[in-house]
Amino acid sequence: MLLGDLLGKPLVIDGKEIILVDDRISDIGVVGAEIDTLVEIEPPDGVSPGFYISEPSLVAIRTSYPDHTMYGLWQTLYHSGMLSGAEFVFLPFNENSGRYAQLEKQGDTWIPVISDVVTGGTLADGITEVSDVYRLDVDPSLLVLPDEQAMLHRERTAMIQQRSRRRYWQTAIVIGLIAVVGAIYEGAVMLSHSSQVSLIEDLRAEQRSLNERIGTLTRTRLLNEPDYNQTLERIFHLHTIDPGLETAQASRFDDDVILLLSRDTLPFLKTIDWVVPEITDDGGVAVVLSGE
């Protein structure tokens, strides 16, 4: 399936109708950079980097699908075991554009390192061509849902606070039980004292960890990253008019993206207020989308 068939629309995975969103693979969270527009879907696990999503784009999708659970596309592919076998994995929007992930082999395991946008048939390093990388054909029936879903910053903070409160009450109950049992069965408590104290310390340590996580989420924001969501949405829209559209070789998301469409689409293009179509020398139609 193409990128446009996977992102931002209902899909059934594991018998559940969900929405896959355009997430990013990055190690930004590890170096403790400022959070700005990105929110964490899943933190680094010590092996692979974290998965993040633009909060504004998540809000926009939630507006259209308020009752659906959201998961990251790369996050889901990683947990489904589909990111392997090559240094670069390409998810096409069309022949020369889409998304790619760079992988690193550690022993017998492929670990995702970063993800980025592909335009003009060349990956972000400016050297590797799309034709030289592994093109991933995703079958939704083979996907597995991750444990963590995509949430807004305030939603994830509230969830962590709820877990912290639950651990607090669990700790209080355990301490209370120990006190009661100690008053009645002092001898029996002495035998189990070591294990009970260990349990209390574990619960307190988990509570401290959750409190630190809340503090980190409150104090920090990720580095600003360019927001290409509007450009991608407009490309997706034009793709519904002309599935055979192409990007010009020199197009980049941080500059102007030039799309080449069939001459037959001209009447439709003239009805779109953000499109200024131009006739090319070969009789086609060119549309320029300004970069952010």
Side-chain angles (χ1 to χ4, degrees), residues 238-284:
L238 294 176
H239 181 258
T240 62
I241 298 175
D242 183 6
L245 67 79
E246 297 179 352
T247 53
Q249 190 70 19
S251 293
R252 292 177 56 86
F253 267 57
D254 54 359
D255 200 344
D256 289 339
V257 177
I258 302 174
L259 303 176
L260 304 176
L261 297 88
S262 166
R263 178 65 176 268
D264 298 335
T265 63
L266 185 59
F268 300 95
L269 297 176
K270 289 183 176 179
T271 65
I272 304 174
D273 56 6
W274 45 264
V275 169
V276 181
E278 298 179 9
I279 306 300
T280 61
D281 293 339
D282 60 2

Short mmCIF file of all heavy atoms in Angstrom, two decimals, residues 238-284:
data_model
loop_
_atom_site.label_atom_id
_atom_site.label_comp_id
_atom_site.label_asym_id
_atom_site.label_seq_id
_atom_site.Cartn_x
_atom_site.Cartn_y
_atom_site.Cartn_z
N LEU A 238 -4.08 16.59 -3.92
CA LEU A 238 -3.83 16.61 -5.37
C LEU A 238 -3.67 15.19 -5.90
O LEU A 238 -4.00 14.91 -7.06
CB LEU A 238 -2.58 17.43 -5.68
CG LEU A 238 -2.69 18.94 -5.37
CD1 LEU A 238 -1.36 19.63 -5.61
CD2 LEU A 238 -3.79 19.59 -6.20
N HIS A 239 -3.20 14.28 -5.05
CA HIS A 239 -3.04 12.89 -5.48
C HIS A 239 -4.39 12.24 -5.78
O HIS A 239 -4.51 11.37 -6.64
CB HIS A 239 -2.30 12.11 -4.39
CG HIS A 239 -2.07 10.66 -4.74
ND1 HIS A 239 -2.83 9.64 -4.24
CD2 HIS A 239 -1.16 10.10 -5.57
CE1 HIS A 239 -2.40 8.50 -4.73
NE2 HIS A 239 -1.38 8.75 -5.53
N THR A 240 -5.45 12.69 -5.05
CA THR A 240 -6.77 12.14 -5.33
C THR A 240 -7.29 12.61 -6.68
O THR A 240 -8.12 11.96 -7.31
CB THR A 240 -7.77 12.57 -4.23
OG1 THR A 240 -7.89 14.00 -4.23
CG2 THR A 240 -7.29 12.10 -2.87
N ILE A 241 -6.80 13.78 -7.14
CA ILE A 241 -7.19 14.29 -8.46
C ILE A 241 -6.39 13.61 -9.56
O ILE A 241 -6.92 13.24 -10.61
CB ILE A 241 -6.99 15.82 -8.52
CG1 ILE A 241 -7.90 16.51 -7.47
CG2 ILE A 241 -7.27 16.36 -9.91
CD1 ILE A 241 -7.68 17.99 -7.38
N ASP A 242 -5.10 13.43 -9.33
CA ASP A 242 -4.22 12.79 -10.33
C ASP A 242 -3.29 11.82 -9.63
O ASP A 242 -2.22 12.21 -9.14
CB ASP A 242 -3.41 13.85 -11.08
CG ASP A 242 -2.55 13.25 -12.17
OD1 ASP A 242 -2.67 12.03 -12.43
OD2 ASP A 242 -1.75 13.98 -12.77
N PRO A 243 -3.67 10.52 -9.53
CA PRO A 243 -2.81 9.54 -8.86
C PRO A 243 -1.44 9.40 -9.52
O PRO A 243 -0.52 8.87 -8.92
CB PRO A 243 -3.62 8.24 -8.96
CG PRO A 243 -5.03 8.68 -9.16
CD PRO A 243 -4.95 9.94 -9.96
N GLY A 244 -1.29 9.89 -10.74
CA GLY A 244 -0.01 9.77 -11.43
C GLY A 244 0.87 10.99 -11.29
O GLY A 244 1.87 11.13 -12.01
N LEU A 245 0.56 11.90 -10.36
CA LEU A 245 1.37 13.11 -10.22
C LEU A 245 2.81 12.76 -9.82
O LEU A 245 3.07 11.74 -9.20
CB LEU A 245 0.74 14.07 -9.22
CG LEU A 245 0.67 13.71 -7.73
CD1 LEU A 245 1.98 13.93 -7.02
CD2 LEU A 245 -0.40 14.55 -7.07
N GLU A 246 3.74 13.63 -10.16
CA GLU A 246 5.15 13.44 -9.84
C GLU A 246 5.70 14.72 -9.22
O GLU A 246 5.14 15.80 -9.38
CB GLU A 246 5.96 13.11 -11.10
CG GLU A 246 5.57 11.80 -11.78
CD GLU A 246 6.40 11.54 -13.02
OE1 GLU A 246 7.16 12.44 -13.43
OE2 GLU A 246 6.29 10.44 -13.57
N THR A 247 6.81 14.57 -8.48
CA THR A 247 7.49 15.75 -7.96
C THR A 247 8.68 16.07 -8.85
O THR A 247 9.35 15.16 -9.34
CB THR A 247 7.98 15.50 -6.52
OG1 THR A 247 8.76 14.31 -6.51
CG2 THR A 247 6.83 15.36 -5.56
N ALA A 248 8.93 17.36 -9.05
CA ALA A 248 10.09 17.77 -9.85
C ALA A 248 11.37 17.37 -9.12
O ALA A 248 11.40 17.27 -7.90
CB ALA A 248 10.06 19.28 -10.08
N GLN A 249 12.43 17.13 -9.89
CA GLN A 249 13.66 16.58 -9.32
C GLN A 249 14.25 17.45 -8.22
O GLN A 249 14.81 16.97 -7.27
CB GLN A 249 14.71 16.42 -10.45
CG GLN A 249 15.95 15.65 -10.05
CD GLN A 249 15.68 14.18 -9.83
OE1 GLN A 249 14.67 13.68 -10.30
NE2 GLN A 249 16.52 13.49 -9.08
N ALA A 250 14.11 18.78 -8.33
CA ALA A 250 14.77 19.69 -7.39
C ALA A 250 13.90 20.04 -6.18
O ALA A 250 14.29 20.85 -5.35
CB ALA A 250 15.16 20.98 -8.12
N SER A 251 12.71 19.46 -6.07
CA SER A 251 11.79 19.83 -4.99
C SER A 251 12.33 19.41 -3.63
O SER A 251 12.84 18.30 -3.47
CB SER A 251 10.42 19.18 -5.22
OG SER A 251 9.81 19.72 -6.36
N ARG A 252 12.18 20.31 -2.64
CA ARG A 252 12.55 20.01 -1.25
C ARG A 252 11.46 20.56 -0.33
O ARG A 252 10.87 21.59 -0.61
CB ARG A 252 13.89 20.66 -0.88
CG ARG A 252 15.08 20.07 -1.60
CD ARG A 252 16.36 20.83 -1.22
NE ARG A 252 16.53 20.82 0.22
CZ ARG A 252 17.14 19.83 0.88
NH1 ARG A 252 17.61 18.79 0.20
NH2 ARG A 252 17.28 19.88 2.19
N PHE A 253 11.20 19.88 0.78
CA PHE A 253 10.14 20.32 1.69
C PHE A 253 10.48 21.63 2.37
O PHE A 253 9.60 22.35 2.81
CB PHE A 253 9.85 19.23 2.74
CG PHE A 253 8.74 18.30 2.33
CD1 PHE A 253 8.82 17.59 1.14
CD2 PHE A 253 7.61 18.15 3.12
CE1 PHE A 253 7.81 16.75 0.76
CE2 PHE A 253 6.60 17.30 2.75
CZ PHE A 253 6.71 16.60 1.55
N ASP A 254 11.79 21.94 2.55
CA ASP A 254 12.13 23.20 3.20
C ASP A 254 12.23 24.33 2.20
O ASP A 254 12.66 25.43 2.53
CB ASP A 254 13.45 23.04 3.98
CG ASP A 254 14.57 22.53 3.09
OD1 ASP A 254 14.33 22.27 1.90
OD2 ASP A 254 15.69 22.40 3.61
N ASP A 255 11.87 24.11 0.92
CA ASP A 255 11.83 25.14 -0.11
C ASP A 255 10.48 24.99 -0.81
O ASP A 255 9.47 24.71 -0.19
CB ASP A 255 13.02 24.94 -1.06
CG ASP A 255 13.34 26.22 -1.86
OD1 ASP A 255 12.48 27.12 -1.91
OD2 ASP A 255 14.41 26.28 -2.43
N ASP A 256 10.44 25.20 -2.11
CA ASP A 256 9.21 25.01 -2.87
C ASP A 256 9.13 23.58 -3.39
O ASP A 256 10.10 23.04 -3.90
CB ASP A 256 9.16 25.98 -4.06
CG ASP A 256 8.94 27.41 -3.58
OD1 ASP A 256 8.46 27.60 -2.46
OD2 ASP A 256 9.26 28.31 -4.36
N VAL A 257 7.93 22.95 -3.24
CA VAL A 257 7.68 21.63 -3.81
C VAL A 257 6.92 21.80 -5.11
O VAL A 257 5.85 22.41 -5.14
CB VAL A 257 6.86 20.75 -2.83
CG1 VAL A 257 6.56 19.41 -3.47
CG2 VAL A 257 7.63 20.57 -1.53
N ILE A 258 7.50 21.32 -6.21
CA ILE A 258 6.88 21.47 -7.53
C ILE A 258 6.27 20.13 -7.92
O ILE A 258 6.97 19.11 -7.98
CB ILE A 258 7.93 21.90 -8.58
CG1 ILE A 258 8.58 23.22 -8.15
CG2 ILE A 258 7.27 22.05 -9.95
CD1 ILE A 258 9.72 23.66 -9.04
N LEU A 259 4.96 20.12 -8.17
CA LEU A 259 4.25 18.90 -8.56
C LEU A 259 3.87 18.99 -10.04
O LEU A 259 3.45 20.05 -10.52
CB LEU A 259 2.99 18.73 -7.71
CG LEU A 259 3.21 18.69 -6.19
CD1 LEU A 259 1.88 18.61 -5.47
CD2 LEU A 259 4.07 17.50 -5.83
N LEU A 260 4.00 17.88 -10.74
CA LEU A 260 3.68 17.81 -12.16
C LEU A 260 2.45 16.93 -12.33
O LEU A 260 2.45 15.77 -11.92
CB LEU A 260 4.87 17.23 -12.94
CG LEU A 260 6.21 18.00 -12.75
CD1 LEU A 260 7.33 17.31 -13.49
CD2 LEU A 260 6.06 19.45 -13.21
N LEU A 261 1.39 17.46 -12.95
CA LEU A 261 0.14 16.74 -13.12
C LEU A 261 -0.26 16.69 -14.58
O LEU A 261 0.27 17.44 -15.43
CB LEU A 261 -0.99 17.40 -12.31
CG LEU A 261 -0.84 17.44 -10.78
CD1 LEU A 261 -0.08 18.66 -10.33
CD2 LEU A 261 -2.20 17.38 -10.11
N SER A 262 -1.26 15.86 -14.85
CA SER A 262 -1.78 15.73 -16.20
C SER A 262 -2.55 16.99 -16.62
O SER A 262 -3.17 17.66 -15.79
CB SER A 262 -2.71 14.52 -16.28
OG SER A 262 -3.48 14.53 -17.46
N ARG A 263 -2.53 17.31 -17.93
CA ARG A 263 -3.25 18.48 -18.46
C ARG A 263 -4.75 18.37 -18.21
O ARG A 263 -5.45 19.37 -18.04
CB ARG A 263 -2.95 18.59 -19.97
CG ARG A 263 -3.68 19.74 -20.67
CD ARG A 263 -3.21 21.12 -20.17
NE ARG A 263 -3.84 22.22 -20.89
CZ ARG A 263 -3.32 22.79 -21.96
NH1 ARG A 263 -2.14 22.36 -22.43
NH2 ARG A 263 -3.94 23.78 -22.55
N ASP A 264 -5.24 17.11 -18.12
CA ASP A 264 -6.68 16.90 -17.91
C ASP A 264 -7.16 17.42 -16.56
O ASP A 264 -8.36 17.62 -16.35
CB ASP A 264 -7.01 15.40 -18.03
CG ASP A 264 -6.70 14.84 -19.41
OD1 ASP A 264 -6.69 15.64 -20.39
OD2 ASP A 264 -6.47 13.63 -19.51
N THR A 265 -6.22 17.61 -15.62
CA THR A 265 -6.63 18.05 -14.27
C THR A 265 -6.82 19.55 -14.18
O THR A 265 -7.25 20.06 -13.14
CB THR A 265 -5.57 17.62 -13.24
OG1 THR A 265 -4.33 18.28 -13.55
CG2 THR A 265 -5.35 16.11 -13.27
N LEU A 266 -6.48 20.31 -15.23
CA LEU A 266 -6.48 21.77 -15.16
C LEU A 266 -7.82 22.35 -14.71
O LEU A 266 -7.87 23.23 -13.86
CB LEU A 266 -6.06 22.36 -16.53
CG LEU A 266 -5.90 23.89 -16.57
CD1 LEU A 266 -4.84 24.34 -15.56
CD2 LEU A 266 -5.52 24.34 -17.98
N PRO A 267 -8.97 21.87 -15.25
CA PRO A 267 -10.26 22.43 -14.81
C PRO A 267 -10.49 22.26 -13.31
O PRO A 267 -11.04 23.13 -12.65
CB PRO A 267 -11.30 21.65 -15.64
CG PRO A 267 -10.54 21.18 -16.84
CD PRO A 267 -9.16 20.89 -16.36
N PHE A 268 -10.09 21.09 -12.76
CA PHE A 268 -10.27 20.86 -11.34
C PHE A 268 -9.34 21.74 -10.51
O PHE A 268 -9.71 22.27 -9.47
CB PHE A 268 -10.02 19.39 -11.00
CG PHE A 268 -10.94 18.44 -11.74
CD1 PHE A 268 -10.54 17.84 -12.93
CD2 PHE A 268 -12.21 18.17 -11.23
CE1 PHE A 268 -11.38 16.98 -13.59
CE2 PHE A 268 -13.05 17.31 -11.90
CZ PHE A 268 -12.64 16.71 -13.09
N LEU A 269 -8.10 21.89 -10.98
CA LEU A 269 -7.12 22.67 -10.24
C LEU A 269 -7.54 24.13 -10.12
O LEU A 269 -7.25 24.80 -9.12
CB LEU A 269 -5.75 22.56 -10.91
CG LEU A 269 -5.13 21.17 -10.95
CD1 LEU A 269 -3.81 21.19 -11.72
CD2 LEU A 269 -4.90 20.63 -9.54
N LYS A 270 -8.20 24.66 -11.14
CA LYS A 270 -8.60 26.06 -11.12
C LYS A 270 -9.68 26.36 -10.07
O LYS A 270 -9.91 27.51 -9.73
CB LYS A 270 -9.10 26.48 -12.50
CG LYS A 270 -7.98 26.58 -13.54
CD LYS A 270 -8.51 27.06 -14.88
CE LYS A 270 -7.39 27.26 -15.91
NZ LYS A 270 -7.89 27.70 -17.23
N THR A 271 -10.31 25.29 -9.54
CA THR A 271 -11.35 25.48 -8.53
C THR A 271 -10.77 25.49 -7.11
O THR A 271 -11.51 25.74 -6.16
CB THR A 271 -12.40 24.37 -8.63
OG1 THR A 271 -11.78 23.11 -8.30
CG2 THR A 271 -12.99 24.30 -10.03
N ILE A 272 -9.47 25.23 -6.95
CA ILE A 272 -8.84 25.16 -5.63
C ILE A 272 -8.14 26.49 -5.36
O ILE A 272 -7.25 26.89 -6.12
CB ILE A 272 -7.84 24.00 -5.56
CG1 ILE A 272 -8.54 22.66 -5.93
CG2 ILE A 272 -7.22 23.90 -4.17
CD1 ILE A 272 -7.59 21.50 -6.02
N ASP A 273 -8.50 27.15 -4.26
CA ASP A 273 -8.02 28.52 -4.04
C ASP A 273 -6.53 28.60 -3.75
O ASP A 273 -5.91 29.62 -3.99
CB ASP A 273 -8.81 29.20 -2.91
CG ASP A 273 -8.77 28.41 -1.63
OD1 ASP A 273 -8.06 27.40 -1.57
OD2 ASP A 273 -9.48 28.80 -0.67
N TRP A 274 -5.90 27.51 -3.23
CA TRP A 274 -4.47 27.58 -2.93
C TRP A 274 -3.60 27.03 -4.05
O TRP A 274 -2.40 26.83 -3.88
CB TRP A 274 -4.15 26.87 -1.62
CG TRP A 274 -4.80 25.52 -1.44
CD1 TRP A 274 -5.95 25.26 -0.78
CD2 TRP A 274 -4.33 24.25 -1.92
NE1 TRP A 274 -6.24 23.92 -0.81
CE2 TRP A 274 -5.25 23.28 -1.51
CE3 TRP A 274 -3.22 23.85 -2.67
CZ2 TRP A 274 -5.10 21.94 -1.81
CZ3 TRP A 274 -3.06 22.52 -2.97
CH2 TRP A 274 -3.99 21.58 -2.55
N VAL A 275 -4.20 26.76 -5.20
CA VAL A 275 -3.46 26.23 -6.36
C VAL A 275 -3.41 27.28 -7.46
O VAL A 275 -4.43 27.87 -7.83
CB VAL A 275 -4.13 24.94 -6.90
CG1 VAL A 275 -3.52 24.55 -8.24
CG2 VAL A 275 -3.97 23.81 -5.90
N VAL A 276 -2.20 27.54 -7.99
CA VAL A 276 -2.02 28.40 -9.17
C VAL A 276 -1.35 27.55 -10.25
O VAL A 276 -0.13 27.46 -10.31
CB VAL A 276 -1.16 29.64 -8.84
CG1 VAL A 276 -1.02 30.52 -10.08
CG2 VAL A 276 -1.76 30.43 -7.69
N PRO A 277 -2.15 26.86 -11.08
CA PRO A 277 -1.57 25.95 -12.07
C PRO A 277 -0.88 26.70 -13.21
O PRO A 277 -1.30 27.78 -13.61
CB PRO A 277 -2.79 25.17 -12.58
CG PRO A 277 -3.93 26.10 -12.36
CD PRO A 277 -3.62 26.90 -11.14
N GLU A 278 0.20 26.13 -13.71
CA GLU A 278 0.93 26.68 -14.85
C GLU A 278 1.13 25.58 -15.89
O GLU A 278 1.43 24.43 -15.55
CB GLU A 278 2.29 27.22 -14.40
CG GLU A 278 2.20 28.35 -13.40
CD GLU A 278 3.58 28.83 -12.97
OE1 GLU A 278 4.58 28.39 -13.60
OE2 GLU A 278 3.66 29.63 -12.04
N ILE A 279 0.96 25.93 -17.15
CA ILE A 279 1.15 24.96 -18.25
C ILE A 279 2.65 24.83 -18.52
O ILE A 279 3.36 25.82 -18.68
CB ILE A 279 0.41 25.41 -19.52
CG1 ILE A 279 -1.07 25.68 -19.22
CG2 ILE A 279 0.57 24.37 -20.62
CD1 ILE A 279 -1.80 24.46 -18.68
N THR A 280 3.14 23.59 -18.54
CA THR A 280 4.56 23.34 -18.79
C THR A 280 4.82 23.25 -20.30
O THR A 280 3.88 23.16 -21.12
CB THR A 280 5.02 22.05 -18.11
OG1 THR A 280 4.26 20.95 -18.65
CG2 THR A 280 4.77 22.12 -16.61
N ASP A 281 6.11 23.24 -20.68
CA ASP A 281 6.49 23.18 -22.10
C ASP A 281 5.99 21.90 -22.78
O ASP A 281 5.72 21.89 -23.99
CB ASP A 281 8.01 23.28 -22.24
CG ASP A 281 8.52 24.65 -21.81
OD1 ASP A 281 7.71 25.61 -21.81
OD2 ASP A 281 9.70 24.75 -21.48
N ASP A 282 5.89 20.82 -22.02
CA ASP A 282 5.46 19.55 -22.61
C ASP A 282 3.93 19.38 -22.56
O ASP A 282 3.43 18.28 -22.81
CB ASP A 282 6.15 18.37 -21.92
CG ASP A 282 5.84 18.31 -20.45
OD1 ASP A 282 5.05 19.16 -19.98
OD2 ASP A 282 6.35 17.41 -19.76
N GLY A 283 3.22 20.43 -22.17
CA GLY A 283 1.75 20.36 -22.20
C GLY A 283 1.14 19.90 -20.89
O GLY A 283 -0.08 19.80 -20.81
N GLY A 284 1.94 19.58 -19.87
CA GLY A 284 1.41 19.19 -18.59
C GLY A 284 1.06 20.41 -17.74
O GLY A 284 1.05 21.54 -18.21
#
